[in-house]
Amino acid sequence: MNGQPREVALALGSNVGDKAAHIGRALAALTATGLVRDLEASALYRTAPWGPVAQDWYVNGCAVGMTMVPPRDLLARVKALEVALGRVETVRWGPRVIDIDILYYVDEAIDTPALTLPHPEMLKRAFVLIPLAELRPERRIGGIAVADAAARCDPHGIERLA
């Protein structure tokens, strides 16, 4: 890195306990720890559970901000933050107090076992695209504008919270 802040987008979700409060604490911690500054957050959405495990509904949202932390270090620090906020690993796509995924990091393309950017599933997930489109509708991922990808997704089971 050359010392310049980089734009990063994050997806946040929770489906255990006070879901919206967990996301609020995660957003506050991202800025308080210096991981991300100038953080803009989308509205929060109630979304149907996703994955192979029976579980409660989710609250999801996205945030975009600036970071000085390189992508792999950012991933490690975000995962440590999840644990500090109460996340306990269970089954993949299972219930969680907080989940924070890096969606994109400027225009970097990374494909390692630990980190793939842009997030490989984001263009298929309405619960990511709809809130991200609030913040960066014209942002292009894989040549597709986020707003266009969101418009193509099935919004069934996604409800904006007041």
Side-chain angles (χ1 to χ4, degrees), residues 93-133:
W93 297 313
R96 65 211 60 186
V97 169
I98 191 69
D99 183 44
I100 305 170
D101 290 332
I102 303 172
L103 299 175
Y104 67 78
Y105 187 100
V106 203
D107 292 321
E108 288 205 29
I110 298 172
D111 189 5
T112 69
L115 178 63
T116 303
L117 294 175
H119 192 289
E121 301 297 320
M122 69 182 284
L123 292 177
K124 302 174 190 170
R125 295 179 174 170
F127 65 87
V128 170
L129 291 169
I130 291 171
L132 184 59

PDB file of all heavy atoms in Angstrom, residues 93-133:
ATOM      1  N   TRP A  93     -22.871 -21.362   7.259  1.00  0.00           N
ATOM      2  CA  TRP A  93     -24.156 -20.716   6.974  1.00  0.00           C
ATOM      3  C   TRP A  93     -25.172 -20.951   8.083  1.00  0.00           C
ATOM      4  O   TRP A  93     -26.375 -20.908   7.862  1.00  0.00           O
ATOM      5  CB  TRP A  93     -24.720 -21.143   5.619  1.00  0.00           C
ATOM      6  CG  TRP A  93     -23.859 -20.739   4.466  1.00  0.00           C
ATOM      7  CD1 TRP A  93     -23.294 -19.524   4.241  1.00  0.00           C
ATOM      8  CD2 TRP A  93     -23.441 -21.566   3.389  1.00  0.00           C
ATOM      9  NE1 TRP A  93     -22.555 -19.533   3.096  1.00  0.00           N
ATOM     10  CE2 TRP A  93     -22.629 -20.792   2.543  1.00  0.00           C
ATOM     11  CE3 TRP A  93     -23.670 -22.892   3.047  1.00  0.00           C
ATOM     12  CZ2 TRP A  93     -22.057 -21.276   1.394  1.00  0.00           C
ATOM     13  CZ3 TRP A  93     -23.095 -23.376   1.893  1.00  0.00           C
ATOM     14  CH2 TRP A  93     -22.306 -22.575   1.076  1.00  0.00           C
ATOM     15  N   GLY A  94     -24.684 -21.204   9.289  1.00  0.00           N
ATOM     16  CA  GLY A  94     -25.565 -21.410  10.435  1.00  0.00           C
ATOM     17  C   GLY A  94     -25.844 -20.101  11.158  1.00  0.00           C
ATOM     18  O   GLY A  94     -25.395 -19.027  10.743  1.00  0.00           O
ATOM     19  N   PRO A  95     -26.579 -20.175  12.267  1.00  0.00           N
ATOM     20  CA  PRO A  95     -26.899 -18.979  13.042  1.00  0.00           C
ATOM     21  C   PRO A  95     -25.629 -18.274  13.526  1.00  0.00           C
ATOM     22  O   PRO A  95     -24.628 -18.919  13.828  1.00  0.00           O
ATOM     23  CB  PRO A  95     -27.690 -19.531  14.238  1.00  0.00           C
ATOM     24  CG  PRO A  95     -28.132 -20.887  13.829  1.00  0.00           C
ATOM     25  CD  PRO A  95     -27.134 -21.388  12.845  1.00  0.00           C
ATOM     26  N   ARG A  96     -25.719 -16.951  13.593  1.00  0.00           N
ATOM     27  CA  ARG A  96     -24.557 -16.190  14.051  1.00  0.00           C
ATOM     28  C   ARG A  96     -24.973 -14.865  14.663  1.00  0.00           C
ATOM     29  O   ARG A  96     -25.913 -14.235  14.192  1.00  0.00           O
ATOM     30  CB  ARG A  96     -23.570 -15.967  12.921  1.00  0.00           C
ATOM     31  CG  ARG A  96     -24.148 -15.120  11.842  1.00  0.00           C
ATOM     32  CD  ARG A  96     -23.696 -15.352  10.467  1.00  0.00           C
ATOM     33  NE  ARG A  96     -23.960 -16.677   9.983  1.00  0.00           N
ATOM     34  CZ  ARG A  96     -23.537 -17.111   8.829  1.00  0.00           C
ATOM     35  NH1 ARG A  96     -22.844 -16.336   8.064  1.00  0.00           N
ATOM     36  NH2 ARG A  96     -23.811 -18.317   8.421  1.00  0.00           N
ATOM     37  N   VAL A  97     -24.243 -14.474  15.691  1.00  0.00           N
ATOM     38  CA  VAL A  97     -24.463 -13.177  16.330  1.00  0.00           C
ATOM     39  C   VAL A  97     -24.098 -12.072  15.352  1.00  0.00           C
ATOM     40  O   VAL A  97     -24.828 -11.085  15.215  1.00  0.00           O
ATOM     41  CB  VAL A  97     -23.623 -13.063  17.626  1.00  0.00           C
ATOM     42  CG1 VAL A  97     -23.614 -11.638  18.154  1.00  0.00           C
ATOM     43  CG2 VAL A  97     -24.154 -14.023  18.673  1.00  0.00           C
ATOM     44  N   ILE A  98     -22.980 -12.232  14.665  1.00  0.00           N
ATOM     45  CA  ILE A  98     -22.546 -11.240  13.684  1.00  0.00           C
ATOM     46  C   ILE A  98     -21.726 -11.929  12.604  1.00  0.00           C
ATOM     47  O   ILE A  98     -20.979 -12.868  12.880  1.00  0.00           O
ATOM     48  CB  ILE A  98     -21.731 -10.091  14.344  1.00  0.00           C
ATOM     49  CG1 ILE A  98     -21.507  -8.924  13.375  1.00  0.00           C
ATOM     50  CG2 ILE A  98     -20.421 -10.601  14.915  1.00  0.00           C
ATOM     51  CD1 ILE A  98     -22.753  -8.146  13.017  1.00  0.00           C
ATOM     52  N   ASP A  99     -21.925 -11.471  11.397  1.00  0.00           N
ATOM     53  CA  ASP A  99     -21.139 -11.927  10.259  1.00  0.00           C
ATOM     54  C   ASP A  99     -20.757 -10.681   9.477  1.00  0.00           C
ATOM     55  O   ASP A  99     -21.623  -9.842   9.186  1.00  0.00           O
ATOM     56  CB  ASP A  99     -21.962 -12.878   9.389  1.00  0.00           C
ATOM     57  CG  ASP A  99     -21.165 -13.432   8.226  1.00  0.00           C
ATOM     58  OD1 ASP A  99     -20.003 -13.824   8.436  1.00  0.00           O
ATOM     59  OD2 ASP A  99     -21.696 -13.474   7.101  1.00  0.00           O
ATOM     60  N   ILE A 100     -19.485 -10.540   9.188  1.00  0.00           N
ATOM     61  CA  ILE A 100     -19.002  -9.403   8.403  1.00  0.00           C
ATOM     62  C   ILE A 100     -18.183  -9.964   7.253  1.00  0.00           C
ATOM     63  O   ILE A 100     -17.193 -10.668   7.479  1.00  0.00           O
ATOM     64  CB  ILE A 100     -18.122  -8.451   9.255  1.00  0.00           C
ATOM     65  CG1 ILE A 100     -18.859  -7.992  10.510  1.00  0.00           C
ATOM     66  CG2 ILE A 100     -17.688  -7.254   8.398  1.00  0.00           C
ATOM     67  CD1 ILE A 100     -17.988  -7.244  11.510  1.00  0.00           C
ATOM     68  N   ASP A 101     -18.611  -9.672   6.037  1.00  0.00           N
ATOM     69  CA  ASP A 101     -17.888 -10.112   4.841  1.00  0.00           C
ATOM     70  C   ASP A 101     -17.358  -8.909   4.086  1.00  0.00           C
ATOM     71  O   ASP A 101     -18.045  -7.882   3.977  1.00  0.00           O
ATOM     72  CB  ASP A 101     -18.811 -10.893   3.898  1.00  0.00           C
ATOM     73  CG  ASP A 101     -19.204 -12.251   4.429  1.00  0.00           C
ATOM     74  OD1 ASP A 101     -18.425 -12.829   5.213  1.00  0.00           O
ATOM     75  OD2 ASP A 101     -20.275 -12.735   4.059  1.00  0.00           O
ATOM     76  N   ILE A 102     -16.149  -9.037   3.560  1.00  0.00           N
ATOM     77  CA  ILE A 102     -15.608  -8.009   2.676  1.00  0.00           C
ATOM     78  C   ILE A 102     -16.166  -8.285   1.286  1.00  0.00           C
ATOM     79  O   ILE A 102     -15.987  -9.374   0.737  1.00  0.00           O
ATOM     80  CB  ILE A 102     -14.067  -8.034   2.661  1.00  0.00           C
ATOM     81  CG1 ILE A 102     -13.502  -7.854   4.068  1.00  0.00           C
ATOM     82  CG2 ILE A 102     -13.537  -6.954   1.706  1.00  0.00           C
ATOM     83  CD1 ILE A 102     -11.997  -8.068   4.168  1.00  0.00           C
ATOM     84  N   LEU A 103     -16.857  -7.298   0.722  1.00  0.00           N
ATOM     85  CA  LEU A 103     -17.452  -7.454  -0.603  1.00  0.00           C
ATOM     86  C   LEU A 103     -16.484  -7.061  -1.713  1.00  0.00           C
ATOM     87  O   LEU A 103     -16.351  -7.764  -2.701  1.00  0.00           O
ATOM     88  CB  LEU A 103     -18.728  -6.615  -0.712  1.00  0.00           C
ATOM     89  CG  LEU A 103     -19.829  -6.987   0.271  1.00  0.00           C
ATOM     90  CD1 LEU A 103     -20.989  -6.006   0.159  1.00  0.00           C
ATOM     91  CD2 LEU A 103     -20.285  -8.421   0.041  1.00  0.00           C
ATOM     92  N   TYR A 104     -15.871  -5.906  -1.548  1.00  0.00           N
ATOM     93  CA  TYR A 104     -14.827  -5.485  -2.476  1.00  0.00           C
ATOM     94  C   TYR A 104     -13.849  -4.588  -1.747  1.00  0.00           C
ATOM     95  O   TYR A 104     -14.156  -4.033  -0.686  1.00  0.00           O
ATOM     96  CB  TYR A 104     -15.386  -4.807  -3.742  1.00  0.00           C
ATOM     97  CG  TYR A 104     -16.072  -3.474  -3.533  1.00  0.00           C
ATOM     98  CD1 TYR A 104     -15.349  -2.297  -3.342  1.00  0.00           C
ATOM     99  CD2 TYR A 104     -17.455  -3.379  -3.567  1.00  0.00           C
ATOM    100  CE1 TYR A 104     -15.981  -1.076  -3.172  1.00  0.00           C
ATOM    101  CE2 TYR A 104     -18.098  -2.165  -3.400  1.00  0.00           C
ATOM    102  CZ  TYR A 104     -17.362  -1.017  -3.202  1.00  0.00           C
ATOM    103  OH  TYR A 104     -17.985   0.195  -3.020  1.00  0.00           O
ATOM    104  N   TYR A 105     -12.670  -4.487  -2.310  1.00  0.00           N
ATOM    105  CA  TYR A 105     -11.594  -3.657  -1.764  1.00  0.00           C
ATOM    106  C   TYR A 105     -11.024  -2.922  -2.961  1.00  0.00           C
ATOM    107  O   TYR A 105     -10.297  -3.508  -3.770  1.00  0.00           O
ATOM    108  CB  TYR A 105     -10.545  -4.556  -1.112  1.00  0.00           C
ATOM    109  CG  TYR A 105      -9.452  -3.818  -0.365  1.00  0.00           C
ATOM    110  CD1 TYR A 105      -9.503  -3.692   1.018  1.00  0.00           C
ATOM    111  CD2 TYR A 105      -8.370  -3.283  -1.036  1.00  0.00           C
ATOM    112  CE1 TYR A 105      -8.495  -3.040   1.710  1.00  0.00           C
ATOM    113  CE2 TYR A 105      -7.355  -2.629  -0.350  1.00  0.00           C
ATOM    114  CZ  TYR A 105      -7.431  -2.505   1.020  1.00  0.00           C
ATOM    115  OH  TYR A 105      -6.423  -1.856   1.701  1.00  0.00           O
ATOM    116  N   VAL A 106     -11.428  -1.681  -3.133  1.00  0.00           N
ATOM    117  CA  VAL A 106     -11.124  -0.885  -4.324  1.00  0.00           C
ATOM    118  C   VAL A 106     -11.449  -1.745  -5.548  1.00  0.00           C
ATOM    119  O   VAL A 106     -12.556  -2.277  -5.645  1.00  0.00           O
ATOM    120  CB  VAL A 106      -9.661  -0.380  -4.343  1.00  0.00           C
ATOM    121  CG1 VAL A 106      -9.547   0.852  -5.220  1.00  0.00           C
ATOM    122  CG2 VAL A 106      -9.126  -0.080  -2.973  1.00  0.00           C
ATOM    123  N   ASP A 107     -10.503  -1.914  -6.430  1.00  0.00           N
ATOM    124  CA  ASP A 107     -10.705  -2.759  -7.609  1.00  0.00           C
ATOM    125  C   ASP A 107      -9.834  -4.004  -7.555  1.00  0.00           C
ATOM    126  O   ASP A 107      -9.591  -4.638  -8.582  1.00  0.00           O
ATOM    127  CB  ASP A 107     -10.386  -1.973  -8.890  1.00  0.00           C
ATOM    128  CG  ASP A 107     -11.402  -0.875  -9.135  1.00  0.00           C
ATOM    129  OD1 ASP A 107     -12.599  -1.115  -8.884  1.00  0.00           O
ATOM    130  OD2 ASP A 107     -11.005   0.218  -9.565  1.00  0.00           O
ATOM    131  N   GLU A 108      -9.359  -4.349  -6.361  1.00  0.00           N
ATOM    132  CA  GLU A 108      -8.451  -5.489  -6.258  1.00  0.00           C
ATOM    133  C   GLU A 108      -9.165  -6.802  -6.533  1.00  0.00           C
ATOM    134  O   GLU A 108     -10.290  -7.015  -6.091  1.00  0.00           O
ATOM    135  CB  GLU A 108      -7.802  -5.537  -4.873  1.00  0.00           C
ATOM    136  CG  GLU A 108      -6.786  -4.430  -4.697  1.00  0.00           C
ATOM    137  CD  GLU A 108      -5.732  -4.761  -3.674  1.00  0.00           C
ATOM    138  OE1 GLU A 108      -5.414  -5.950  -3.479  1.00  0.00           O
ATOM    139  OE2 GLU A 108      -5.215  -3.806  -3.083  1.00  0.00           O
ATOM    140  N   ALA A 109      -8.476  -7.652  -7.267  1.00  0.00           N
ATOM    141  CA  ALA A 109      -8.939  -9.017  -7.499  1.00  0.00           C
ATOM    142  C   ALA A 109      -7.995  -9.937  -6.744  1.00  0.00           C
ATOM    143  O   ALA A 109      -6.787  -9.925  -6.989  1.00  0.00           O
ATOM    144  CB  ALA A 109      -8.927  -9.335  -8.989  1.00  0.00           C
ATOM    145  N   ILE A 110      -8.544 -10.688  -5.816  1.00  0.00           N
ATOM    146  CA  ILE A 110      -7.767 -11.613  -4.999  1.00  0.00           C
ATOM    147  C   ILE A 110      -8.484 -12.956  -5.047  1.00  0.00           C
ATOM    148  O   ILE A 110      -9.710 -13.008  -4.911  1.00  0.00           O
ATOM    149  CB  ILE A 110      -7.651 -11.122  -3.548  1.00  0.00           C
ATOM    150  CG1 ILE A 110      -6.919  -9.779  -3.487  1.00  0.00           C
ATOM    151  CG2 ILE A 110      -6.967 -12.159  -2.663  1.00  0.00           C
ATOM    152  CD1 ILE A 110      -6.922  -9.127  -2.117  1.00  0.00           C
ATOM    153  N   ASP A 111      -7.733 -14.020  -5.230  1.00  0.00           N
ATOM    154  CA  ASP A 111      -8.326 -15.350  -5.235  1.00  0.00           C
ATOM    155  C   ASP A 111      -7.389 -16.298  -4.510  1.00  0.00           C
ATOM    156  O   ASP A 111      -6.490 -16.880  -5.114  1.00  0.00           O
ATOM    157  CB  ASP A 111      -8.592 -15.819  -6.671  1.00  0.00           C
ATOM    158  CG  ASP A 111      -9.412 -17.097  -6.719  1.00  0.00           C
ATOM    159  OD1 ASP A 111      -9.857 -17.570  -5.648  1.00  0.00           O
ATOM    160  OD2 ASP A 111      -9.605 -17.628  -7.825  1.00  0.00           O
ATOM    161  N   THR A 112      -7.589 -16.399  -3.207  1.00  0.00           N
ATOM    162  CA  THR A 112      -6.817 -17.315  -2.372  1.00  0.00           C
ATOM    163  C   THR A 112      -7.808 -18.169  -1.597  1.00  0.00           C
ATOM    164  O   THR A 112      -8.998 -17.831  -1.524  1.00  0.00           O
ATOM    165  CB  THR A 112      -5.910 -16.552  -1.383  1.00  0.00           C
ATOM    166  OG1 THR A 112      -6.734 -15.909  -0.408  1.00  0.00           O
ATOM    167  CG2 THR A 112      -5.026 -15.533  -2.093  1.00  0.00           C
ATOM    168  N   PRO A 113      -7.346 -19.251  -0.975  1.00  0.00           N
ATOM    169  CA  PRO A 113      -8.280 -20.049  -0.163  1.00  0.00           C
ATOM    170  C   PRO A 113      -8.930 -19.249   0.968  1.00  0.00           C
ATOM    171  O   PRO A 113     -10.077 -19.493   1.324  1.00  0.00           O
ATOM    172  CB  PRO A 113      -7.398 -21.172   0.385  1.00  0.00           C
ATOM    173  CG  PRO A 113      -6.303 -21.307  -0.617  1.00  0.00           C
ATOM    174  CD  PRO A 113      -6.035 -19.903  -1.111  1.00  0.00           C
ATOM    175  N   ALA A 114      -8.229 -18.274   1.507  1.00  0.00           N
ATOM    176  CA  ALA A 114      -8.752 -17.499   2.632  1.00  0.00           C
ATOM    177  C   ALA A 114      -9.594 -16.301   2.209  1.00  0.00           C
ATOM    178  O   ALA A 114     -10.493 -15.886   2.939  1.00  0.00           O
ATOM    179  CB  ALA A 114      -7.602 -17.027   3.513  1.00  0.00           C
ATOM    180  N   LEU A 115      -9.306 -15.727   1.049  1.00  0.00           N
ATOM    181  CA  LEU A 115      -9.962 -14.480   0.659  1.00  0.00           C
ATOM    182  C   LEU A 115     -10.115 -14.413  -0.853  1.00  0.00           C
ATOM    183  O   LEU A 115      -9.137 -14.580  -1.589  1.00  0.00           O
ATOM    184  CB  LEU A 115      -9.141 -13.280   1.152  1.00  0.00           C
ATOM    185  CG  LEU A 115      -9.658 -11.890   0.797  1.00  0.00           C
ATOM    186  CD1 LEU A 115     -11.025 -11.634   1.427  1.00  0.00           C
ATOM    187  CD2 LEU A 115      -8.658 -10.824   1.250  1.00  0.00           C
ATOM    188  N   THR A 116     -11.358 -14.157  -1.282  1.00  0.00           N
ATOM    189  CA  THR A 116     -11.639 -13.924  -2.693  1.00  0.00           C
ATOM    190  C   THR A 116     -12.356 -12.592  -2.808  1.00  0.00           C
ATOM    191  O   THR A 116     -13.375 -12.367  -2.152  1.00  0.00           O
ATOM    192  CB  THR A 116     -12.507 -15.050  -3.292  1.00  0.00           C
ATOM    193  OG1 THR A 116     -11.847 -16.296  -3.100  1.00  0.00           O
ATOM    194  CG2 THR A 116     -12.756 -14.826  -4.770  1.00  0.00           C
ATOM    195  N   LEU A 117     -11.783 -11.708  -3.619  1.00  0.00           N
ATOM    196  CA  LEU A 117     -12.378 -10.386  -3.865  1.00  0.00           C
ATOM    197  C   LEU A 117     -12.394 -10.113  -5.357  1.00  0.00           C
ATOM    198  O   LEU A 117     -11.429 -10.428  -6.032  1.00  0.00           O
ATOM    199  CB  LEU A 117     -11.580  -9.294  -3.158  1.00  0.00           C
ATOM    200  CG  LEU A 117     -11.601  -9.323  -1.641  1.00  0.00           C
ATOM    201  CD1 LEU A 117     -10.678  -8.249  -1.086  1.00  0.00           C
ATOM    202  CD2 LEU A 117     -12.997  -9.153  -1.093  1.00  0.00           C
ATOM    203  N   PRO A 118     -13.494  -9.513  -5.833  1.00  0.00           N
ATOM    204  CA  PRO A 118     -14.709  -9.246  -5.095  1.00  0.00           C
ATOM    205  C   PRO A 118     -15.338 -10.542  -4.591  1.00  0.00           C
ATOM    206  O   PRO A 118     -15.045 -11.624  -5.091  1.00  0.00           O
ATOM    207  CB  PRO A 118     -15.626  -8.552  -6.103  1.00  0.00           C
ATOM    208  CG  PRO A 118     -14.873  -8.453  -7.389  1.00  0.00           C
ATOM    209  CD  PRO A 118     -13.563  -9.111  -7.228  1.00  0.00           C
ATOM    210  N   HIS A 119     -16.207 -10.396  -3.586  1.00  0.00           N
ATOM    211  CA  HIS A 119     -16.843 -11.567  -2.981  1.00  0.00           C
ATOM    212  C   HIS A 119     -17.501 -12.394  -4.082  1.00  0.00           C
ATOM    213  O   HIS A 119     -18.278 -11.859  -4.883  1.00  0.00           O
ATOM    214  CB  HIS A 119     -17.879 -11.118  -1.957  1.00  0.00           C
ATOM    215  CG  HIS A 119     -18.372 -12.222  -1.088  1.00  0.00           C
ATOM    216  ND1 HIS A 119     -19.193 -13.218  -1.552  1.00  0.00           N
ATOM    217  CD2 HIS A 119     -18.167 -12.486   0.225  1.00  0.00           C
ATOM    218  CE1 HIS A 119     -19.473 -14.054  -0.569  1.00  0.00           C
ATOM    219  NE2 HIS A 119     -18.855 -13.630   0.527  1.00  0.00           N
ATOM    220  N   PRO A 120     -17.207 -13.680  -4.155  1.00  0.00           N
ATOM    221  CA  PRO A 120     -17.650 -14.479  -5.296  1.00  0.00           C
ATOM    222  C   PRO A 120     -19.162 -14.684  -5.406  1.00  0.00           C
ATOM    223  O   PRO A 120     -19.654 -14.966  -6.487  1.00  0.00           O
ATOM    224  CB  PRO A 120     -16.939 -15.823  -5.089  1.00  0.00           C
ATOM    225  CG  PRO A 120     -16.629 -15.878  -3.636  1.00  0.00           C
ATOM    226  CD  PRO A 120     -16.411 -14.447  -3.209  1.00  0.00           C
ATOM    227  N   GLU A 121     -19.899 -14.513  -4.330  1.00  0.00           N
ATOM    228  CA  GLU A 121     -21.345 -14.749  -4.367  1.00  0.00           C
ATOM    229  C   GLU A 121     -22.182 -13.480  -4.335  1.00  0.00           C
ATOM    230  O   GLU A 121     -23.400 -13.544  -4.429  1.00  0.00           O
ATOM    231  CB  GLU A 121     -21.749 -15.647  -3.187  1.00  0.00           C
ATOM    232  CG  GLU A 121     -21.063 -16.997  -3.174  1.00  0.00           C
ATOM    233  CD  GLU A 121     -21.409 -17.840  -4.393  1.00  0.00           C
ATOM    234  OE1 GLU A 121     -22.575 -17.836  -4.821  1.00  0.00           O
ATOM    235  OE2 GLU A 121     -20.485 -18.493  -4.924  1.00  0.00           O
ATOM    236  N   MET A 122     -21.546 -12.321  -4.222  1.00  0.00           N
ATOM    237  CA  MET A 122     -22.323 -11.110  -3.981  1.00  0.00           C
ATOM    238  C   MET A 122     -23.319 -10.777  -5.086  1.00  0.00           C
ATOM    239  O   MET A 122     -24.403 -10.275  -4.818  1.00  0.00           O
ATOM    240  CB  MET A 122     -21.413  -9.925  -3.684  1.00  0.00           C
ATOM    241  CG  MET A 122     -20.581  -9.439  -4.857  1.00  0.00           C
ATOM    242  SD  MET A 122     -19.481  -8.084  -4.415  1.00  0.00           S
ATOM    243  CE  MET A 122     -20.623  -6.738  -4.336  1.00  0.00           C
ATOM    244  N   LEU A 123     -22.992 -11.064  -6.336  1.00  0.00           N
ATOM    245  CA  LEU A 123     -23.894 -10.720  -7.435  1.00  0.00           C
ATOM    246  C   LEU A 123     -25.098 -11.647  -7.519  1.00  0.00           C
ATOM    247  O   LEU A 123     -26.002 -11.416  -8.321  1.00  0.00           O
ATOM    248  CB  LEU A 123     -23.141 -10.706  -8.763  1.00  0.00           C
ATOM    249  CG  LEU A 123     -22.109  -9.595  -8.910  1.00  0.00           C
ATOM    250  CD1 LEU A 123     -21.361  -9.717 -10.226  1.00  0.00           C
ATOM    251  CD2 LEU A 123     -22.751  -8.227  -8.777  1.00  0.00           C
ATOM    252  N   LYS A 124     -25.138 -12.669  -6.676  1.00  0.00           N
ATOM    253  CA  LYS A 124     -26.266 -13.609  -6.643  1.00  0.00           C
ATOM    254  C   LYS A 124     -27.155 -13.397  -5.428  1.00  0.00           C
ATOM    255  O   LYS A 124     -28.150 -14.102  -5.280  1.00  0.00           O
ATOM    256  CB  LYS A 124     -25.739 -15.053  -6.612  1.00  0.00           C
ATOM    257  CG  LYS A 124     -24.865 -15.422  -7.773  1.00  0.00           C
ATOM    258  CD  LYS A 124     -24.288 -16.809  -7.563  1.00  0.00           C
ATOM    259  CE  LYS A 124     -23.215 -17.117  -8.580  1.00  0.00           C
ATOM    260  NZ  LYS A 124     -22.503 -18.345  -8.242  1.00  0.00           N
ATOM    261  N   ARG A 125     -26.794 -12.492  -4.539  1.00  0.00           N
ATOM    262  CA  ARG A 125     -27.472 -12.381  -3.252  1.00  0.00           C
ATOM    263  C   ARG A 125     -28.195 -11.044  -3.105  1.00  0.00           C
ATOM    264  O   ARG A 125     -27.575 -10.001  -2.888  1.00  0.00           O
ATOM    265  CB  ARG A 125     -26.467 -12.551  -2.119  1.00  0.00           C
ATOM    266  CG  ARG A 125     -25.865 -13.943  -2.107  1.00  0.00           C
ATOM    267  CD  ARG A 125     -24.870 -14.109  -1.006  1.00  0.00           C
ATOM    268  NE  ARG A 125     -24.417 -15.499  -0.935  1.00  0.00           N
ATOM    269  CZ  ARG A 125     -23.420 -15.908  -0.202  1.00  0.00           C
ATOM    270  NH1 ARG A 125     -22.740 -15.040   0.556  1.00  0.00           N
ATOM    271  NH2 ARG A 125     -23.064 -17.181  -0.193  1.00  0.00           N
ATOM    272  N   ALA A 126     -29.518 -11.105  -3.187  1.00  0.00           N
ATOM    273  CA  ALA A 126     -30.318  -9.892  -3.052  1.00  0.00           C
ATOM    274  C   ALA A 126     -30.106  -9.233  -1.696  1.00  0.00           C
ATOM    275  O   ALA A 126     -30.116  -8.009  -1.586  1.00  0.00           O
ATOM    276  CB  ALA A 126     -31.794 -10.208  -3.265  1.00  0.00           C
ATOM    277  N   PHE A 127     -29.884 -10.033  -0.642  1.00  0.00           N
ATOM    278  CA  PHE A 127     -29.701  -9.463   0.693  1.00  0.00           C
ATOM    279  C   PHE A 127     -28.400  -8.675   0.815  1.00  0.00           C
ATOM    280  O   PHE A 127     -28.227  -7.916   1.764  1.00  0.00           O
ATOM    281  CB  PHE A 127     -29.809 -10.528   1.792  1.00  0.00           C
ATOM    282  CG  PHE A 127     -28.740 -11.592   1.788  1.00  0.00           C
ATOM    283  CD1 PHE A 127     -27.537 -11.395   2.445  1.00  0.00           C
ATOM    284  CD2 PHE A 127     -28.952 -12.799   1.141  1.00  0.00           C
ATOM    285  CE1 PHE A 127     -26.557 -12.376   2.452  1.00  0.00           C
ATOM    286  CE2 PHE A 127     -27.980 -13.787   1.153  1.00  0.00           C
ATOM    287  CZ  PHE A 127     -26.780 -13.577   1.806  1.00  0.00           C
ATOM    288  N   VAL A 128     -27.512  -8.818  -0.158  1.00  0.00           N
ATOM    289  CA  VAL A 128     -26.303  -8.001  -0.243  1.00  0.00           C
ATOM    290  C   VAL A 128     -26.509  -6.869  -1.238  1.00  0.00           C
ATOM    291  O   VAL A 128     -26.203  -5.712  -0.963  1.00  0.00           O
ATOM    292  CB  VAL A 128     -25.083  -8.858  -0.656  1.00  0.00           C
ATOM    293  CG1 VAL A 128     -23.879  -7.984  -0.980  1.00  0.00           C
ATOM    294  CG2 VAL A 128     -24.735  -9.858   0.428  1.00  0.00           C
ATOM    295  N   LEU A 129     -27.019  -7.194  -2.400  1.00  0.00           N
ATOM    296  CA  LEU A 129     -27.121  -6.209  -3.487  1.00  0.00           C
ATOM    297  C   LEU A 129     -28.100  -5.078  -3.192  1.00  0.00           C
ATOM    298  O   LEU A 129     -27.825  -3.923  -3.523  1.00  0.00           O
ATOM    299  CB  LEU A 129     -27.515  -6.907  -4.783  1.00  0.00           C
ATOM    300  CG  LEU A 129     -26.438  -7.804  -5.370  1.00  0.00           C
ATOM    301  CD1 LEU A 129     -27.013  -8.658  -6.485  1.00  0.00           C
ATOM    302  CD2 LEU A 129     -25.259  -6.980  -5.876  1.00  0.00           C
ATOM    303  N   ILE A 130     -29.236  -5.392  -2.592  1.00  0.00           N
ATOM    304  CA  ILE A 130     -30.224  -4.342  -2.336  1.00  0.00           C
ATOM    305  C   ILE A 130     -29.665  -3.276  -1.392  1.00  0.00           C
ATOM    306  O   ILE A 130     -29.721  -2.087  -1.711  1.00  0.00           O
ATOM    307  CB  ILE A 130     -31.562  -4.950  -1.870  1.00  0.00           C
ATOM    308  CG1 ILE A 130     -32.209  -5.696  -3.055  1.00  0.00           C
ATOM    309  CG2 ILE A 130     -32.496  -3.883  -1.307  1.00  0.00           C
ATOM    310  CD1 ILE A 130     -33.419  -6.530  -2.695  1.00  0.00           C
ATOM    311  N   PRO A 131     -29.080  -3.653  -0.243  1.00  0.00           N
ATOM    312  CA  PRO A 131     -28.498  -2.586   0.592  1.00  0.00           C
ATOM    313  C   PRO A 131     -27.260  -1.934  -0.028  1.00  0.00           C
ATOM    314  O   PRO A 131     -27.058  -0.719   0.101  1.00  0.00           O
ATOM    315  CB  PRO A 131     -28.171  -3.272   1.913  1.00  0.00           C
ATOM    316  CG  PRO A 131     -28.297  -4.728   1.685  1.00  0.00           C
ATOM    317  CD  PRO A 131     -29.111  -4.937   0.460  1.00  0.00           C
ATOM    318  N   LEU A 132     -26.434  -2.694  -0.735  1.00  0.00           N
ATOM    319  CA  LEU A 132     -25.253  -2.091  -1.360  1.00  0.00           C
ATOM    320  C   LEU A 132     -25.655  -1.097  -2.441  1.00  0.00           C
ATOM    321  O   LEU A 132     -24.996  -0.067  -2.621  1.00  0.00           O
ATOM    322  CB  LEU A 132     -24.329  -3.179  -1.937  1.00  0.00           C
ATOM    323  CG  LEU A 132     -23.012  -2.686  -2.520  1.00  0.00           C
ATOM    324  CD1 LEU A 132     -22.176  -1.945  -1.471  1.00  0.00           C
ATOM    325  CD2 LEU A 132     -22.225  -3.850  -3.113  1.00  0.00           C
ATOM    326  N   ALA A 133     -26.755  -1.376  -3.139  1.00  0.00           N
ATOM    327  CA  ALA A 133     -27.226  -0.460  -4.184  1.00  0.00           C
ATOM    328  C   ALA A 133     -27.651   0.892  -3.613  1.00  0.00           C
ATOM    329  O   ALA A 133     -27.624   1.897  -4.326  1.00  0.00           O
ATOM    330  CB  ALA A 133     -28.368  -1.093  -4.971  1.00  0.00           C
TER     331      ALA A 133
END
